[in-house]
Amino acid sequence: MADILCGYTADRDETLIAFLYGDIEPAQRAAFEAHIATCDRCRHEVAELQDVRERLQEWTLDEEEAPEAARPLVAIGSLAGSSRVPAPSVESHEPPRRRRSTLLADLPLWAQLAAATLVLGVSSGIAGLEVHYDGSGLTVRTGWSRPASPPIPPAASPAGSAVAATNPDAASPWKADFDALERRMKTELRAELHASSSAASAVPARTEGSTVADAALLRKVRALVDESERRQRNELALRIAEIVQEFDTKRGTDLANVRSMKTIQSATGVEIVRQQQWLDLLTKASMQR
Amino acid sequence: MTWTDEELVARAIGGDSDSFDELVRRWERAIYALAYRQIGREEDARDVCQETFLHAYRALGGFRGQAKFSSWLYRIALNLCRDWMRRQRRTPVIQMPEDLEGMERAALREPVESIEDRIARADLARHVERAMALLPEEQRTAIVLKEYQGLTFQEIADLVGCPLSTVKTRLYQGLTVLRRQLAREGASAAAR
């Protein structure tokens, strides 16, 4: 079709696009309609480009993808609050991944701490982390080291199901432990805060006190995570040692089996030789007769 | 009461953080869609989307209302997409999940149409996405803004900073390249 001559004198391509999208002056539209009534090339091209436009509408994005895109920023105003940072030039940017950490660094300490606590809670829930903090000290145990408990039967007693329904802690025992730990840590931190504020009463320490409390809480959370990691490393080392021991035992058994097979083979060989000798003697005796 | 974008901007500048959150909710889909269709990678499109709103928040005080808020937002997003492409020094990459082919991708959608139709639709969408990725940036931008964001020729011209006639020419060239590319893909698909 492209080789058919078109006698349209105005800006053909631009007019064609304007006509295609319906964004065209009425007079220009009328002129172009009159033109395509007689021009096969333009009529054909309009139809083809319209077809391309319809094809373009087939490229849809999944609706559920979009909400995730900027969801962390929905609360950007709330998080940043009044501490709005100076506006940089729109034209100059750092790479996005680096910026994301900058955004995190811009958050106040309590927000970072809340995020860390949330991550810790979710991670421990997934990993089956069990945390006890009582008079006997801190105990951190992973799901790997805990004996498998039988699943709760689906037909539990009505009272039990009512408890589970009304008390989500019953369905996730780690949460209760975690809450207990959190309460205890808060109590201790309040005590520490009270002690520090009374010791330095001359200092207007509302901000400093909360900073100290935040730092102390952060240290404790980090200590918890470190303790959990140390426990898991120990368990891994123990498991590896067990595997090595099992391997050595199995290897010893296999070696013993191989030795006994050699003995059997040796005994069989001796027996064959003896049989052959008897056969030779019988052959010689029969030939002499 | 529904506030206009510009009213929300004014309230956000005045210190109402909820107003900016509302602006994010209102425009996040459009900005993500624009970024994804420009650069073709989900993760990077999300980054660009976040960066767009972050820049907008930081520069909110400088928004004078001479243009629509959406146009201002689009301009930030397009600049970020352009920077991303410069950094990558390559054309957009069409990202397909490695473990999901047409049938599986189609099966993930809501069961409102037959599996055959869903597969066919996913296949057609993939063809379009590939063809779009092959276009020069200016042509792709013009088509994305016109077809998917629904801007007028004049709005596109203002946004990308070029004459109206250039926008139309880019659209014409882009659609023409797409027509050839889709015909080629259709022919090769038919041959398979």
Side-chain angles (χ1 to χ4, degrees), chain A residues 99-204:
Chain A
R99 283 301 185 83
R100 188 183 283 173
S101 59
T102 309
L103 173 63
L104 192 63
D106 288 342
L107 296 179
L109 185 59
W110 65 265
Q112 292 183 39
L113 190 64
T117 310
L118 181 65
V119 169
L120 182 65
V122 171
S123 309
S124 57
I126 292 168
L129 191 68
E130 204 176 282
V131 182
H132 289 287
Y133 190 57
D134 50 23
S136 59
L138 180 69
T139 307
V140 182
R141 190 190 299 160
T142 66
W144 300 338
S145 60
R146 190 169 50 236
S149 58
I152 299 171
S157 69
S161 60
V163 169
T166 55
N167 183 10
D169 293 351
S172 52
W174 61 268
K175 192 174 182 304
D177 294 334
F178 203 79
D179 288 343
L181 174 63
E182 190 182 5
R183 282 195 296 275
R184 187 181 175 92
M185 287 168 68
K186 279 179 180 170
T187 308
E188 288 180 7
L189 287 170
R190 276 196 210 99
E192 281 181 23
L193 179 62
H194 181 69
S196 63
S197 60
S198 59
S201 56
V203 182

